[in-house]
Amino acid sequence: MDVINKSTLQKFKTLEKIIASYPSALLAYSGGVDSSFLLFVMSRILKERFIAVTAVSPTFPPFDLERAEKIAKFFNVKHIIVQSKELENENFCKNSPERCYYCKMELFSICKDIAQKHGIDVICDGSNLDDLNDYRPGRKAGEEFGVKSPLIESRLKKEEIRALSQLFEIPYWDSPPSPCLASRFPYGVSITEERLKKVLKAEEFLKSHGFKVVRARFQDDKTLRIEVDEKEIERVVNPELRKELVEFVKNLGFEYILLDMEGYVQGKLNKMLK
C-alpha cells in the first residue's frame, strides 16, 4: 500500500471535524466503497447517535445488499433496511436523463421519515468529489432535502477514499463500482422489473465465473451488450465459456449478445448526453 500523503490526511481530519459537528446523523448507505468508508468514520465518531439506512428494490443487486449487511455488522452499526418504490413512479420508469433525480427523491423521502422517527438531525450520502465531474441529477434531490455530502465537503476523491479504506482495513475496500441496475438501460428505454431481473441474472452468471467488473447493458428486448474489464475480454470469448454464456443469455429471452470490445468504462452511459 502506498503511504497516505499529507494532503489526504488533512482531508481526513477535515472530514472528522465535519462529522463531529453533527448532533446525530443518518447515512443513506449503499454498501459501496465510499459509503462504507463514511459509515466507518461516522460510526466511530457519533457512536449511538448514528444509523445507516439501505433502501432495497429490484434495482438494487442482492450481492450489494449482502455486502452492506456484512459491513454494517462488522462495525456494529444500527442498520435499517427498507423497501423503496421507485418502480411505482412513472417518471422513473420512463428512464429520462433525470431518472436518478426521481430515484433519489424516493430514497431521501424514506431517509427523512426514518430520521424524524429516530430523532436524527442530519441526513448524509456518500458522494465524493469525483462525482461532481459526472452527470448526477440525483444531487438536486439531495439539495432539496438538505442532504449533506461530507466526503465532498472535505474534498476527498475516490482514489483517496480507497487508500484510507485500505489503511483502516475496511472490508471490500477494493470493490469495483456497483451502481444500481437502472444504469444498465440507455436513456429512453423504459425500466421494468422483468427487464431488471434479466440484466441481474446475466451479471450473476458472469460473476459466478469469476468476473469482477461486469455490466449487462439492456439495448432492447432482443439485444444485450456485455461489458467486462478490458483485461478479461479474451477470457469471456473463450470458446467454452462463450458458448455457455450465449446459451444462458438466450434462455433469458435475448436473441443477440454483443460484446463491447472497448471493455468497461465508468460513466459510459452519460457520454450520449454530451
Side-chain angles (χ1 to χ4, degrees), residues 217-225 254-256 258:
R217 306 286 189 187
F218 186 100
Q219 297 297 113
D220 54 50
D221 285 309
K222 292 185 177 181
T223 310
L224 189 72
R225 177 167 56 87
F254 296 100
E255 293 184 22
Y256 307 105
L258 310 181

Side-chain angles (χ1 to χ4, degrees), residues 19-20 22-26 45-51 120:
I19 293 171
Y22 300 155
S24 58
L26 177 155
I45 294 173
L46 299 175
K47 303 185 186 306
E48 71 279 354
R49 295 178 288 128
F50 168 69
I51 59 176
I120 297 294

Side-chain angles (χ1 to χ4, degrees), residues 33-271:
V33 173
D34 301 329
S35 62
S36 292
F37 171 70
L38 195 52
L39 177 140
F40 161 74
V41 181
M42 295 179 78
S43 64
R44 190 177 67 170
I45 294 173
L46 299 175
K47 303 185 186 306
E48 71 279 354
R49 295 178 288 128
F50 168 69
I51 59 176
V53 173
T54 300
V56 178
S57 78
T59 69
F60 194 70
F63 40 81
D64 285 355
L65 176 60
E66 292 173 10
R67 181 176 58 196
E69 288 182 301
K70 288 179 181 178
I71 296 174
K73 185 176 181 180
F74 183 82
F75 290 117
N76 195 30
V77 169
K78 183 174 182 179
H79 185 205
I80 298 174
I81 300 171
V82 294
Q83 294 290 325
S84 60
K85 299 178 180 179
E86 62 268 23
L87 284 177
E88 295 180 10
N89 186 331
E90 184 179 351
N91 289 319
F92 174 85
C93 294
K94 285 180 179 178
N95 194 23
S96 75
E98 297 297 311
R99 180 199 69 233
C100 285
Y101 169 78
Y102 300 109
C103 182
K104 294 297 186 182
M105 286 293 288
E106 169 72 5
L107 170 62
F108 295 139
S109 177
I110 290 171
C111 289
K112 182 179 179 181
D113 289 343
I114 294 175
Q116 290 177 340
K117 180 180 178 181
H118 290 82
I120 297 294
D121 298 279
V122 179
I123 298 174
C124 298
D125 72 3
S127 300
N128 69 59
L129 192 64
D130 291 326
D131 292 330
L132 298 182
N133 297 325
D134 196 6
Y135 177 64
R136 303 275 177 162
R139 287 201 55 76
K140 180 183 176 183
E143 291 171 2
E144 292 177 7
F145 275 90
V147 173
K148 304 288 187 180
S149 300
L151 296 177
I152 291 179
E153 290 182 50
S154 55
R155 313 293 292 176
L156 278 163
K157 298 181 178 182
K158 187 77 172 190
E159 184 178 346
E160 295 172 312
I161 293 167
R162 283 197 187 277
L164 288 166
S165 297
Q166 184 181 13
L167 175 67
F168 290 113
E169 300 182 338
I170 298 173
Y172 304 101
W173 65 268
D174 58 346
S175 294
S178 183
C180 81
L181 294 173
S183 66
R184 313 308 195 258
F185 296 78
Y187 294 125
V189 175
S190 62
I191 298 172
T192 67
E193 186 169 354
E194 181 182 4
R195 288 174 169 179
L196 287 165
K197 287 179 179 178
K198 289 181 179 182
V199 165
L200 175 61
K201 287 179 180 178
E203 293 193 359
E204 287 180 333
F205 172 86
L206 285 166
K207 288 187 176 184
S208 72
H209 285 75
F211 292 87
K212 285 189 174 182
V213 180
V214 177
R215 296 291 184 272
R217 306 286 189 187
F218 186 100
Q219 297 297 113
D220 54 50
D221 285 309
K222 292 185 177 181
T223 310
L224 189 72
R225 177 167 56 87
I226 301 295
E227 292 178 16
V228 297
D229 188 282
E230 63 176 343
K231 296 177 182 178
E232 296 191 299
I233 288 177
E234 289 188 15
R235 191 159 74 87
V236 82
V237 295
N238 172 277
E240 185 175 340
L241 178 57
R242 181 183 62 81
K243 183 178 179 180
E244 192 177 347
L245 173 62
V246 169
E247 182 180 358
F248 183 87
V249 174
K250 285 196 171 186
N251 285 336
L252 293 176
F254 296 100
E255 293 184 22
Y256 307 105
I257 301 94
L258 310 181
L259 176 64
D260 191 322
M261 297 302 291
E262 183 183 22
Y264 168 74
V265 177
Q266 189 172 2
K268 187 177 289 187
L269 176 68
N270 289 330
K271 286 184 178 180

